[in-house]
Amino acid sequence: MQHNWSRYLRIIIGGLIGFTVVGLYFGEPLYGLTLGLVIYLWWTLVQARRLYKWLANPSAPDEAPQSVGLWGDIFDNLHKLHQTHLHTQDRLRAQINRVQESTNAMRDGVIMTDSKGAMEWWNGSAEHLLGFRRNTDRGQYIHNLIRTPAFKHYFDSRDYREPLELHSPAKPHLRLQIQISLFGDDDRLIVAKDVTRLYQLEQMRRDFVGNVSHEMRTPLTVISGYLETLVDNADELPAKWRRAINTMSAQSSRMEALITDLILLSRIETGEQTVHDNPTDVETLLGQICHDARALSGDQQHELSIQVNDHRLLRGDESQLRSAFSNLVFNAVKYTPARGRITVTWSTNREGAHLSVKDTGIGIDPIHIPRLTERFYRADPSRHKDTGGTGLGLAIVKHVLLNHDGTLEIRSHIGEGSEFICHFPRERLVERVPERTEAEG
Ligand code: ADP
């Protein structure tokens, strides 16, 4: 190229000298030089015009204009650049098509949006699962098409560690699991998975447990009733039957407690017992629970105290909260030796509201803590066979907290005692309305 450039320069200068010499021959070297320059300028303009027309016309043929010399080289090089560009474009287009084809073949819906949720691209499954339309929905905000408030909240939260489950807006019988990932310039990649079958199975399992518990309740009530009558009249029974009747009565009470907890748990889980978001007076609630806990403690004389550091109310379902809090306080009584200390604290800070139930009881080995809220999980079955627990208490606590956007924290050391803390978000706290307080007072 460098070599050609100096050659072309030499030809141009040589040509101009030639014209000047011819001019000199006629006695007018300047005319000769001027004529040479004019001819060269004309040639340059003609070539520049051809280049301009070629570049300006987007539907120009692939072939660049043909020429010789410097302009010939310029045209050739531009043509090469153009070809390379076309090849790169073809290759990228083929790659994009492949990615789109493979994403289209996916059973999961895939949607790309910008940071505000304007939809840029989605695959065929997204159309099928969520009812998006290719022609009209491009550029629409996804919140306008998936109107569930939980989805908007999830999208805006930027915390996508856990997926979100919801019913499809277009086909309500479909249950979808939504998972969002951040990419590029704060854009979102949304994947919608059809989990209808799993959801139905899970629901069947809950319904089954709920129904079986319901069905068992009536015969068990009858058996317990008769057993109670027999226990009341134990004196009239032959001595060899008395022990058997007493054991049967104790076991049937245990089964009744189990069935009551199973029914409660299945109601809380299935949402059959809808969460009533009423302002709940936690202070009064704790007072009543601790009163019952003292009765449970009986001769064991636990030292039970309540501390309330915030008198605001908690928005939630009073009966569910009562079940959760009483399970924690009763557990503290069950798993703390006689005369142990149990402290119940209701406090708030910038993060939210917290209910702590702390005891000086037997404590729990840390290896059990992650599994304690599973149904029927017991830290050490042999240690407290006689507590009369159903093994469902902490599972109930966990589900009640889920229904109230709360979490459960467990701190414990074996032999030193345990602390169970329910954390609630700040948004659930409500001020006391003065009239209400007066009416109550
Ligand atoms: P249970 O009816 O057996 O008490 P829970 O679900 O209420 O069932 O509790 C699960 C297990 O957690 C209990 O069996 C017990 O091992 C352990 N646990 C719960 N609360 C306490 C506590 N305050 N101190 C020690 N262990 C506890």
Side-chain angles (χ1 to χ4, degrees):
M1 197 66 196
Q2 184 67 44
H3 177 72
N4 279 351
W5 172 250
S6 42
R7 210 183 95 215
Y8 294 139
L9 208 61
R10 275 203 306 275
I11 292 171
I12 293 165
I13 293 170
L16 288 177
I17 291 173
F19 272 97
T20 314
V21 170
V22 174
L24 195 66
Y25 178 73
F26 290 105
E28 291 290 347
L30 259 184
Y31 280 155
L33 178 64
T34 311
L35 184 65
L37 282 172
V38 167
I39 290 172
Y40 183 69
L41 187 64
W42 169 81
W43 160 255
T44 306
L45 280 175
V46 168
Q47 301 308 319
R49 185 167 160 269
R50 290 176 71 197
L51 177 64
Y52 178 79
K53 280 172 90 176
W54 181 61
L55 291 178
N57 185 4
S59 57
D62 279 352
E63 286 301 315
Q66 296 294 324
S67 188
V68 290
L70 177 62
W71 281 99
D73 274 6
I74 290 176
F75 288 149
D76 284 351
N77 286 324
L78 276 174
H79 182 242
K80 269 186 214 144
L81 264 178
H82 184 59
Q83 289 299 318
T84 319
H85 174 69
L86 284 180
H87 282 140
T88 315
Q89 226 178 19
D90 283 351
R91 217 181 49 242
L92 282 177
R93 195 172 294 130
Q95 270 173 7
I96 290 174
N97 283 344
R98 246 181 103 68
V99 171
Q100 288 195 345
E101 267 169 32
S102 57
T103 332
N104 261 328
M106 275 172 72
R107 292 164 56 94
D108 298 342
V110 181
I111 307 126
M112 278 193 233
T113 74
D114 67 10
S115 57
K116 300 214 170 64
M119 305 215 300
E120 290 169 353
W121 181 87
W122 58 92
N123 67 354
S125 297
E127 288 178 14
H128 165 70
L129 295 173
L130 291 150
F132 296 160
R133 278 159 305 178
R134 196 162 290 261
N135 301 330
T136 49
D137 290 342
R138 195 171 300 278
Q140 284 253 28
Y141 285 109
I142 194 160
H143 318 299
N144 294 340
L145 301 171
I146 306 178
R147 289 177 166 271
T148 323
F151 176 75
K152 171 131 182 53
H153 183 254
Y154 182 59
F155 187 95
D156 293 339
S157 72
R158 301 176 62 88
D159 177 5
Y160 305 131
R161 280 171 297 177
E162 292 294 322
L164 171 78
E165 271 198 26
L166 44 80
H167 287 286
S168 158
K171 298 175 182 166
H173 64 279
L174 291 183
R175 185 80 178 168
L176 303 179
Q177 190 181 64
I178 307 281
Q179 180 85 61
I180 302 185
S181 310
L182 287 165
F183 77 100
D185 192 10
D186 209 22
D187 296 328
R188 309 286 202 283
L189 180 76
I190 304 169
V191 178
K193 210 186 193 83
D194 182 0
V195 290
T196 313
R197 253 185 76 74
L198 262 178
Y199 178 71
Q200 282 169 346
L201 275 174
E202 181 70 7
Q203 204 148 29
M204 258 167 57
R205 181 191 62 76
R206 287 182 203 152
D207 289 351
F208 177 75
V209 174
N211 291 339
V212 168
S213 313
H214 260 294
E215 293 302 321
M216 278 169 67
R217 188 180 232 171
T218 318
L220 196 64
T221 315
V222 175
I223 294 171
S224 297
Y226 279 119
L227 282 172
E228 232 170 82
T229 319
L230 286 173
V231 169
D232 288 347
N233 300 298
D235 299 344
E236 296 164 27
L237 292 172
K240 61 175 180 179
W241 285 106
R242 263 180 236 153
R243 220 178 129 228
I245 296 290
N246 280 331
T247 313
M248 280 159 74
S249 171
Q251 290 303 323
S252 81
S253 307
R254 203 160 161 211
M255 256 170 98
E256 269 185 318
L258 189 63
I259 284 188
T260 309
D261 272 3
L262 272 175
I263 291 174
L264 177 66
L265 186 58
S266 88
R267 277 192 192 146
I268 293 172
E269 263 192 315
T270 48
E272 189 186 310
Q273 190 172 342
T274 44
V275 182
H276 299 292
D277 267 350
N278 294 326
T280 304
D281 187 347
V282 178
E283 195 174 350
T284 312
L285 192 64
L286 290 179
Q288 292 163 356
I289 293 172
C290 287
H291 179 265
D292 294 345
R294 282 194 187 98
L296 180 70
S297 166
D299 296 342
Q300 298 187 67
Q301 297 182 349
H302 291 103
E303 201 185 302
L304 228 144
S305 64
I306 310 178
Q307 286 175 13
V308 176
N309 301 339
D310 192 310
H311 299 280
R312 277 179 288 177
L313 307 171
L314 179 72
R315 203 160 40 75
D317 185 314
E318 185 172 331
S319 84
Q320 287 197 14
L321 292 171
R322 181 187 297 275
S323 304
F325 297 168
S326 53
N327 267 312
L328 293 179
V329 179
F330 295 169
N331 272 353
V333 174
K334 284 191 297 184
Y335 299 110
T336 303
R339 293 180 209 286
R341 223 173 329 110
I342 296 164
T343 317
V344 181
T345 315
W346 173 244
S347 62
T348 58
N349 59 11
R350 261 191 300 145
E351 275 96 55
H354 318 277
L355 176 92
S356 146
V357 180
K358 195 171 180 181
D359 62 50
T360 54
I362 57 175
I364 308 158
D365 191 327
I367 58 160
H368 297 299
I369 291 180
R371 298 193 57 192
L372 276 192
T373 55
E374 287 174 19
R375 291 174 188 82
F376 303 115
Y377 188 88
R378 291 190 165 98
D380 183 355
S382 60
R383 266 199 305 161
H384 30 76
K385 267 188 262 167
D386 51 348
T387 57
T390 60
L392 294 171
L394 292 181
I396 291 173
V397 174
K398 179 179 130 181
H399 280 97
V400 168
L401 290 181
L402 274 178
N403 286 347
H404 289 79
D405 317 310
T407 50
L408 178 67
E409 185 188 345
I410 306 172
R411 299 175 187 163
S412 187
H413 291 286
I414 206 136
E416 290 176 22
S418 317
E419 184 176 12
F420 288 76
I421 313 170
C422 305
H423 299 288
F424 296 95
R426 251 161 67 97
E427 298 76 49
R428 287 209 163 253
L429 282 172
V430 268
E431 294 294 340
R432 272 174 197 271
V433 182
E435 292 81 34
R436 198 181 144 82
T437 323
E438 275 165 29
E440 277 175 3

